[in-house]
């Protein structure tokens, strides 16, 4: 591949994974993103900082993308976007307006030569070199579950729930307010810092004790200094229990273990075992101590004790998990980097010429588009 | 330029429809149009380090991952690290010590050693166990990516897989399409295939060029997961040792949880940007190469070409539906006299028409930008840099101009104000104010060299409420002499200007 290699060396494609909370950015064929930055824009109109994906009108979203990408290209990656190839890692069932606007900004404003959209769950799985697995992406606004069998996404088994970083932050805030902490200090960034540095997912035994109303001896409380001004006390129970909102038992049976089991059961019978033994948890919210072993214990428990699951998942069930290479928050980006590092970038990208003709982005769901690319 | 840093009360509508103060606008001398940061093409001109001000060629910058080799940032607080020297005592080397029993045994020498230290938070490179270096710009160890080999294997694997797929597809297509030879070849008639002949001659099979499948060990899933350490329930944690999210993201490859694994970060380079007009591909801004220079090689700032409008004061207290007036000072920055005409802003339908015209112009330009038209265009613009390569550019999508969001809420009392703005003449700055009085229209209240003050009367809209901001808007037509061409040509250009005249006051 001599010709290809020179192209790569000269102008490696830019790989972007734009999340609700953080954006991972870098170049294809590199082992980690150059930067992980908050998905926020400083508006060129009035200099205020604002969440990238918070918008009222299409034009507003368009302008925010322009400002954001301008910063990525000229402050972080230092490349000329014109005639550059771009890889976008995206949620397959994400909002159409976001991908359409992003494509419009990249083609019209930055004049990039092509965009390759890589489905997030497939990209994450690519980092393992296994063809089958159930990918759980835990982001800021939502957790999504997508089974993949033999490199094909089983779309009808897709599951999502609105718990992720944001819900955890809300829970920390609720518990702190209950403990009498002044709410004015509890900004999103403070809540995030508390989550990241002090909290963990407790084990199944202790969680069961909490549920029964016989809480075990709580972990030590913690003194936490806010902005160098005020000291608040973070109760030990908070540190241990904020993640329980993902595991809470309720009638809807929509906690995280149920979500994964439901996704598995929505798949054909003959692929279920393969999925059970190939579970892969990624996303920023997955970087928390104790999450995997807790999830495994809960699922194992449900598979053995819950009537519904016991019936449907007959036989000896052992849930097996993969470990990520690198941190979980950029696993999907890493998959994008791998895809962008191969010839797929030449064959599977949406080129500017194709975009000019139709003025729209082919959709994953749209069958006519699928036929065209197949 | 009085409003360089503050929010400006006077703003101009760019060709693209965005509104900006004149200090943020550019003027393309080739298209004779206003441009702003949004509608020009940004390009990376040169890379440099903002700390040591060293210029780094772009190929080297790419190789160094856009980082300076000499400068580091603190991993804890992102402050710049400085190299500190210490004297250490090291035993003298053994090979020159045993020399004819002089002195008593091994001598010690002092040596200068360096480490990196942060003046902001007192972090040092010794905190992570980096040994001191004997040169200040020493080879500080990098934080290695722990899974680089695995990543390389994955990449190689996927490249091979994709290539193999591609070859198989090509092979399939080749076999499917019947050979389109005009004449049957020898091999066809004899029934021998090329590969058989090759084998008989003893040549290697052609197919061996095929990409060899690369093997990779797939990841193995396990049910033995790390449990929480028991002490997490009993031991207090020291927040000082736990890294925060910013520190973790500063070291993306491993994002350590504890601060004792944070390594010095190479400082990311900065760039100098050049700006290019999207319509004609000429530069409007090109900085000088050297990092310490703040000058430009090309600087087509709008306030060198477009009359500058300044609000001097608002004459009357503003009430809704009543008349008011503002005093403006206009300055001609060019070396040619300008005739100015101030009139109402275009109506919405006129504005839409302008946008359509602009789009049409872009289309025509694109269609005519073929090699045949290149010659004629070249003769029109007579600019050397407009080579055929820029003309035969690929399908382009140009950002559509927008309708100006800013709306005026007054009506001008006069349908038109016409006057002349004299050329800039730096020598008259020193003259005494002895201009021969001439017939001036009554709205001109003051004039000196290239500056004029005018009174602009208007009537505010009835619908305005107390506290609302009065926006005066007008179209300013001005004559501009284009000196890019060999023979200077005069053009009538226009700019849409918006002025904050103040708030509506109560009775
Ligand atoms: Zn131009
Ligand atoms: Zn503009
Ligand atoms: Zn430097
Ligand atoms: Zn520091």
């Amino acid at each position: 591949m001599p010709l290809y290699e020179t192209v790569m060396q000269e102008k490696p494609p830019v790989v972007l994974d734009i999340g609700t909370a953080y954006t991972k950015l870098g170049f294809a064929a590199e082992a980690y993103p150059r930067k992980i930055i908050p998905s926020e824009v400083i508006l060129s109109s009035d200099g205020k900082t604002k969440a990238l994906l918070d918008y009222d009108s299409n034009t507003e979203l368009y302008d925010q993308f322009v400002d954001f990408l301008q910063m990525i290209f000229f402050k972080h990656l230092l490349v000329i976007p014109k005639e550059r190839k771009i890889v976008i890692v995206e949620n397959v069932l994400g909002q159409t307006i976001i991908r359409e606007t992003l494509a419009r900004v990249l083609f019209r404003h930055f004049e990039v030569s092509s965009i390759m959209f890589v489905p997030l769950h497939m990209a994450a799985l690519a980092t393992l070199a296994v063809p089958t697995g159930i990918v759980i992406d835990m982001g800021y606004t939502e957790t999504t579950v997508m089974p993949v069998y033999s490199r094909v996404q089983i779309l009808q088994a897709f599951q999502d729930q609105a718990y992720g970083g944001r819900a955890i932050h809300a829970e920390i805030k609720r518990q702190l307010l209950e403990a009498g902490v002044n709410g004015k200090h509890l900004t999103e960034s403070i809540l995030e810092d508390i989550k990241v540095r002090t909290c963990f997912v407790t084990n199944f035994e202790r969680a069961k004790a909490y549920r029964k109303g016989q809480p075990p001896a709580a972990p030590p409380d913690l003194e936490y200094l806010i902005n160098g001004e005020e000291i608040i006390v973070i109760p030990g129970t908070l540190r241990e229990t904020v993640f329980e909102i993902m595991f809470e038992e309720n009638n809807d049976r929509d906690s995280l273990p149920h979500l994964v089991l439901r996704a598995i059961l929505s798949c054909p019978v003959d692929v279920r075992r393969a999925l059970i033994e190939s579970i892969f948890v990624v996303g920023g919210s997955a970087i928390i101590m104790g999450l995997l072993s807790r999830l495994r214990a809960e699922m194992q428990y449900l598979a053995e004790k819950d009537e519904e699951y016991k019936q449907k998942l007959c036989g000896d069930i052992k849930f097996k998990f993969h470990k990520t290479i690198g941190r979980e928050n950029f696993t999907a980006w890493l998959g994008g980097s791998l895809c962008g590092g191969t010839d797929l970038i030449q064959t599977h990208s949406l080129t500017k010429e194709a975009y000019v003709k139709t003025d729209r982005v082919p959709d994953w769901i749209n069958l006519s588009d699928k036929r065209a690319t197949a | 330029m009085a409003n360089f840093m503050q929010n400006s009360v006077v703003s101009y509508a760019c060709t693209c429809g965005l509104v900006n103060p004149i200090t943020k606008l550019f003027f393309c001398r080739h298209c004779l149009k206003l441009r702003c940061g949004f509608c020009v093409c940004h390009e990376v001109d040169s890379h440099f380090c903002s700390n040591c001000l060293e210029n780094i060629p772009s190929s080297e910058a790419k190789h160094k991952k856009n980082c300076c080799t000499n400068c580091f940032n603190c991993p804890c607080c992102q402050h710049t690290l400085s190299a500190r020297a210490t004297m250490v005592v090291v035993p003298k080397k053994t090979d020159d010590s045993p020399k004819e029993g002089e002195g008593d045994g091994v001598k010690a020498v002092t040596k200068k050693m360096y480490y990196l230290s942060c003046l902001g938070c007192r972090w040092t490179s010794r905190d992570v166990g980096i040994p001191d270096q004997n040169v200040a710009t020493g080879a500080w160890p990098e934080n290695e990516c722990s899974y680089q080999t695995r990543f390389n294997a994955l990449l190689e694997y996927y490249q091979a897989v994709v290539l193999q797929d591609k070859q198989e597809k090509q092979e399939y297509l080749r076999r499917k399409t019947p050979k389109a030879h005009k004449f049957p070849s020898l091999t066809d008639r004899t029934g021998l295939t090329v590969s058989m002949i090759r084998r008989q001659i003893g040549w290697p099979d052609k197919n061996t060029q095929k990409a060899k499948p690369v093997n990779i060990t797939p990841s193995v899933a396990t049910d033995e997961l790390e449990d929480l350490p028991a002490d997490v329930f009993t031991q207090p944690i020291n927040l000082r040792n736990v890294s925060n999210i910013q520190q973790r993201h500063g070291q993306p490859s491993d994002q350590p949880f504890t601060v004792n694994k944070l390594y010095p970060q190479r400082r990311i380079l900065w760039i100098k940007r050049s700006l290019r007009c999207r319509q004609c591909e000429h530069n409007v801004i090109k900085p000088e190469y050297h990092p310490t220079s703040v000058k430009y090689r090309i600087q087509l700032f709008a306030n060198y070409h477009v009359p500058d409008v300044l609000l001097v004061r608002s004459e009357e207290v503003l009430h809704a539906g009543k008349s008011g007036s503002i005093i403006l000072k206009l300055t001609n920055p060019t070396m040619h006299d300008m005739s100015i005409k101030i009139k109402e802003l275009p109506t919405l339908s006129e504005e839409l028409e302008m946008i359509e015209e602009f789009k049409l112009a872009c289309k025509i330009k694109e269609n005519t930008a073929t090699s045949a038209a290149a010659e004629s265009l070249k003769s029109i613009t007579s600019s050397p840099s407009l080579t055929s390569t820029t003309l035969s550019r690929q399908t382009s999508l140009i950002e559509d101009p927008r309708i100006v969001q800013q709306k005026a809420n007054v009506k001008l009392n006069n349908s038109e104000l016409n006057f002349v703005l004299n050329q800039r003449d730096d020598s008259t700055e020193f003259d005494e104010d002895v201009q021969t009085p001439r017939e001036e229209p009554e709205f001109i209240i003051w004039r000196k060299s290239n500056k004029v003050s005018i009174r602009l009367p208007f009537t505010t809209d009835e619908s305005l409420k107390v506290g609302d901001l009065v926006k005066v808007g007008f179209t300013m037509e001005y004559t501009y002499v284009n000196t890019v061409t060999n023979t200077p040509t005069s053009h009538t250009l226009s700019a849409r200007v918006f002025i904050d005249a103040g708030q509506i006051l109560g009775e």
Side-chain angles (χ1 to χ4, degrees):
Chain A
M1 306 165 271
L3 180 124
Y4 180 61
E5 264 163 14
T6 53
V7 173
M8 280 296 300
Q9 276 159 11
E10 268 169 27
K11 281 187 171 180
V14 168
V15 183
L16 300 174
D17 176 2
I18 301 175
T20 333
Y22 287 98
T23 294
K24 286 66 76 176
L25 47 112
F27 294 105
E30 288 190 359
Y32 49 90
R34 290 282 178 91
K35 285 272 170 78
I36 298 174
I37 57 169
S39 298
E40 290 170 350
V41 274
I42 299 165
L43 298 177
S44 55
S45 52
D46 58 3
K48 285 199 186 98
T49 306
K50 192 178 168 212
L52 173 69
L53 300 180
D54 170 15
Y55 59 94
D56 292 325
S57 67
N58 282 7
T59 325
E60 198 177 344
L61 180 64
Y62 187 93
D63 288 355
Q64 281 169 202
F65 266 132
V66 168
D67 282 338
F68 188 65
L69 291 166
Q70 183 89 9
M71 174 178 77
I72 287 180
F73 290 130
F74 295 102
K75 211 177 136 200
H76 297 303
L77 296 179
L78 313 185
V79 293
I80 304 175
K82 202 172 172 178
E83 306 304 322
R84 188 61 77 153
K85 294 186 181 306
I86 310 283
V87 178
I88 302 281
V89 179
E90 58 148 25
N91 190 349
V92 210
L93 298 162
Q95 285 168 286
T96 325
I97 170 173
I98 290 180
R99 78 195 310 248
E100 290 274 351
T101 311
L102 183 58
R104 199 145 44 87
V105 170
L106 284 168
F107 280 128
R108 281 187 177 263
H109 193 92
F110 292 103
E111 303 179 61
V112 303
S113 68
S114 72
I115 306 177
M116 176 159 76
F117 288 98
V118 181
L120 182 150
H121 300 89
M122 294 286 281
L125 203 64
T127 63
L128 299 176
V130 297
T132 298
I134 182 157
V135 183
I136 301 152
D137 173 49
M138 302 179 67
Y140 179 69
T141 49
E142 58 172 5
T143 294
T144 57
V145 184
M146 176 76 84
V148 179
Y149 188 75
S150 213
R151 298 203 172 84
V152 178
Q153 304 184 89
I154 306 178
L155 285 170
Q156 71 271 20
F158 175 84
Q159 303 285 332
D160 65 339
Q161 264 309 319
Y163 38 67
R166 181 158 64 188
I168 300 293
H169 296 177
E171 175 67 11
I172 295 175
K173 187 167 184 177
R174 189 190 66 81
Q175 291 202 18
L176 281 177
L177 289 177
E178 217 166 64
V181 172
N182 189 342
K184 77 169 199 264
H185 295 306
L186 303 177
T187 59
E188 189 70 6
S189 62
I190 295 284
L191 294 170
E192 181 184 38
D193 193 56
I194 291 173
K195 174 189 74 176
V196 163
R197 292 167 76 195
T198 73
C199 299
F200 58 91
V201 182
T202 192
N203 61 34
F204 194 28
E205 282 68 47
R206 287 175 66 97
K208 273 194 279 194
Y210 273 109
R211 270 179 215 167
K212 278 190 211 129
Q214 302 157 339
D221 294 353
L222 201 65
E223 285 191 339
Y224 181 90
L225 185 67
I226 290 181
N227 299 334
E229 286 169 5
E230 199 166 321
I231 293 176
I232 62 166
V233 173
I234 300 171
T237 45
L238 181 152
R239 295 176 48 209
E240 189 173 1
T241 60
V242 282
F243 277 87
E244 293 309 303
I245 54 165
M246 291 190 180
F247 296 97
E248 250 156 28
E249 285 284 341
N250 59 24
N251 291 335
D252 295 336
R253 292 161 74 89
D254 59 0
S255 69
L256 184 60
H258 283 288
L259 204 65
V260 182
L261 286 168
R262 210 158 60 200
I264 293 172
L265 291 180
S266 312
C267 293
V269 183
D270 48 341
V271 310
R272 286 180 195 164
R273 181 161 294 270
L275 294 175
I276 284 167
E277 295 184 350
S278 180
I279 302 172
F280 193 34
V281 186
V282 299
S285 297
I287 314 181
I288 190 82
M289 245 200 315
L291 179 78
L292 284 195
S293 65
R294 172 70 183 282
L295 180 60
R296 194 196 68 81
E298 290 253 2
M299 284 169 61
Q300 202 73 44
Y301 174 82
L302 286 173
E304 283 159 20
K305 297 281 166 4
D306 188 279
E307 281 307 317
E308 186 199 344
Y309 298 127
K310 213 163 83 182
Q311 268 180 12
K312 290 185 179 161
L313 297 168
C314 37
D316 185 23
I317 298 291
K318 254 199 175 125
F319 293 98
K320 290 186 179 170
F321 288 74
H322 287 282
K323 287 206 181 74
T324 54
I325 63 168
R327 284 270 180 237
E328 289 85 342
N329 56 353
F330 64 83
T331 307
W333 181 93
L334 207 59
S337 167
L338 285 169
C339 290
T342 68
D343 250 356
L344 286 178
I345 192 90
Q346 313 285 358
T347 52
H348 283 62
S349 290
L350 171 66
T351 60
K352 196 199 290 174
E353 288 71 29
Y355 181 76
V356 171
K357 259 180 224 149
T358 58
D359 209 18
R360 60 181 279 271
V361 187
D363 205 318
W364 296 110
I365 311 302
N366 198 325
L367 279 174
S368 66
D369 289 332
K370 231 181 218 167
R371 220 176 294 136
T373 51
Chain B
M1 291 291 269
N3 41 36
F4 182 55
M5 296 302 275
Q6 307 125 297
N7 270 341
S8 168
V9 290
V10 181
S11 45
Y12 292 65
C14 175
T15 318
C16 70
L18 294 191
V19 173
N20 277 299
I22 196 167
T23 44
K24 288 196 177 161
L25 287 167
F26 312 99
F27 181 81
C28 178
R29 283 165 71 183
H30 306 273
C31 306
L32 302 176
K33 286 206 170 82
L34 283 175
R35 303 278 179 228
C36 68
F38 187 79
C39 59
V40 291
C41 184
H42 296 241
E43 285 170 7
V44 178
D45 207 55
S46 60
H47 296 77
F48 68 99
C49 173
S50 61
N51 188 49
C52 63
L53 290 180
E54 196 164 327
N55 204 43
I56 289 117
S58 61
S59 57
E60 195 187 328
K62 201 175 294 156
H63 182 69
K64 300 263 165 65
K65 293 196 161 187
N66 290 334
C67 291
C68 179
T69 36
N70 303 324
C71 306
F72 292 88
N73 278 352
C74 173
C76 281
C77 69
Q78 280 75 43
H79 198 276
T80 313
L81 290 176
S82 38
R84 316 280 295 169
T86 49
M87 302 306 265
V88 258
V89 183
V90 282
K92 213 171 182 181
K93 278 180 192 159
T94 42
D95 52 321
D96 48 37
S97 55
K99 257 190 182 175
E100 291 163 33
E102 64 171 84
D104 38 8
V106 190
K107 260 191 180 171
V109 230
T110 54
K111 205 175 160 195
K112 234 181 187 179
M113 295 294 273
Y114 297 89
Y115 64 96
L116 295 172
S117 155
C118 173
L119 299 177
C121 70
R122 311 207 67 78
W123 182 91
T124 72
S125 57
R126 292 167 169 183
D127 294 1
V128 277
I130 297 174
D132 290 1
Q133 305 286 317
N134 44 26
V135 269
T137 56
W140 298 102
E142 296 263 355
N143 172 39
E144 298 279 320
C145 176
S146 56
Y147 54 87
Q148 188 72 49
T149 27
R150 173 69 180 167
F151 180 82
N152 293 347
L154 282 168
L155 188 61
E156 205 179 314
Y157 167 71
Y158 283 115
Q159 280 172 349
V161 167
V162 169
L163 206 67
Q164 209 181 344
D165 270 9
K166 200 171 148 193
Q167 282 180 349
E168 268 164 27
K169 208 178 268 172
Q170 277 169 358
E171 187 85 345
Y172 174 73
L173 282 177
R174 201 167 55 85
R175 257 184 247 151
K176 238 179 102 182
T177 47
K179 285 218 177 86
H181 288 308
K182 251 187 188 165
F183 310 102
S185 73
L186 178 73
T187 52
D188 282 348
R189 246 183 292 160
T190 52
L192 288 168
T193 62
V194 178
S195 67
M196 274 169 82
I197 296 175
R198 289 180 80 93
R199 230 175 292 147
Q200 277 170 2
I201 305 171
W203 284 357
D205 220 323
K206 225 189 196 169
N207 291 353
T208 49
Q209 287 174 347
K210 241 188 195 169
K212 284 245 174 66
V214 177
N215 284 322
I216 187 145
T217 40
S219 163
V220 182
T222 169
D223 61 342
E224 280 159 25
L225 300 167
E226 235 173 280
D227 277 327
L228 279 176
D231 63 2
V232 80
F233 303 114
T234 53
Q235 292 304 308
I237 53 169
N238 186 354
L239 279 183
R240 281 171 205 284
N241 299 334
V242 184
S243 58
N244 65 29
I245 198 125
Q246 213 187 346
Q247 291 164 346
R248 290 180 194 184
H249 289 168
Q251 205 165 300
S253 66
D254 60 344
Q255 302 176 37
F257 289 169
T258 50
V259 288
N260 60 8
K261 287 184 196 131
L262 294 172
Y263 278 76
Q265 293 165 1
R266 292 196 178 280
R267 212 182 150 88
I268 191 154
L269 298 176
W270 286 19
I271 52 159
K272 283 199 171 193
R273 247 183 252 202
S274 56
L275 306 179
R276 200 181 282 283
C277 171
R278 279 182 203 236
Q279 227 181 328
C280 68
E281 307 238 339
H282 283 93
N283 271 117
V284 290
I285 292 293
K286 192 152 183 73
E288 275 187 4
Y289 190 62
H290 204 271
T292 51
S293 168
V294 291
K295 291 181 183 156
Y296 298 90
R297 278 183 281 171
I298 299 170
Q299 45 174 350
L300 299 178
F301 290 113
N303 53 349
Y304 291 145
H305 301 276
V306 180
D308 186 14
V309 178
L310 224 87
L311 175 68
V312 179
R313 63 176 181 274
S314 197
E315 285 278 85
E316 288 105 17
V317 176
L318 297 164
H319 296 295
K322 300 270 170 59
S323 66
S325 64
I326 47 173
I327 310 277
L328 300 175
K329 188 164 117 186
L330 282 84
T331 312
N332 178 357
T334 68
M335 294 304 203
H336 305 273
D337 285 0
M338 280 177 169
S339 12
I340 308 265
K341 184 194 280 180
I342 287 174
K343 56 179 193 179
E344 279 288 354
L345 285 172
T347 59
L348 185 65
S349 58
E350 281 167 344
E351 204 176 332
L352 287 171
E353 227 166 77
M354 275 162 64
I355 290 174
E356 280 312 309
E357 242 167 64
F358 178 84
K359 277 195 209 167
L360 204 67
C362 290
K363 274 219 185 80
I364 289 168
K365 183 187 162 275
E366 230 164 79
N367 294 339
T368 52
T370 51
S371 51
E375 283 309 305
S376 61
L377 258 174
K378 217 183 254 175
S379 61
I380 294 168
T381 54
S382 77
S383 95
S385 67
L386 204 69
T387 56
S388 56
T389 47
T390 58
L391 279 167
S392 66
R393 63 181 201 160
Q394 298 159 345
T395 29
S396 74
L397 286 165
I398 288 185
E399 190 100 33
D400 288 343
R402 304 177 183 189
I403 292 173
V404 178
Q405 287 294 309
Q406 197 97 257
K407 296 281 176 260
N409 48 24
V410 302
K411 269 210 109 45
L412 299 185
N413 288 359
N414 308 63
S415 63
E416 259 182 41
L417 298 178
N418 290 300
F419 55 96
V420 175
L421 207 48
N422 294 345
Q423 67 179 86
R424 197 187 82 207
D425 182 357
D426 293 339
S427 64
T428 59
E429 292 286 319
F430 308 104
D431 288 356
E432 273 177 42
D433 200 1
V434 282
Q435 267 185 0
T436 46
R438 56 171 158 171
E439 276 297 298
E440 296 276 28
E442 57 159 347
F443 57 83
I444 290 193
I445 48 178
W446 173 85
R447 177 192 285 276
K448 188 186 175 188
S449 68
N450 62 336
K451 298 179 187 73
V452 158
S453 262
I454 60 164
R455 174 181 287 113
L456 186 68
F458 55 83
T459 311
T460 55
D461 280 1
E462 298 268 358
S463 58
L464 288 172
K465 289 179 199 69
V466 174
D468 282 354
L469 199 62
V470 175
K471 274 268 176 208
V472 182
F474 55 84
T475 299
M476 174 173 68
E477 270 187 17
Y478 58 97
T479 49
Y480 176 79
V481 177
N482 188 3
T483 48
V484 172
T485 48
N486 294 339
T487 47
T489 45
S490 185
H491 302 266
T492 304
L493 306 177
S494 73
R496 286 165 285 173
V497 183
F498 296 87
I499 298 163
D500 294 351
Q503 289 174 337
I504 295 279
L505 285 182
E507 292 307 312

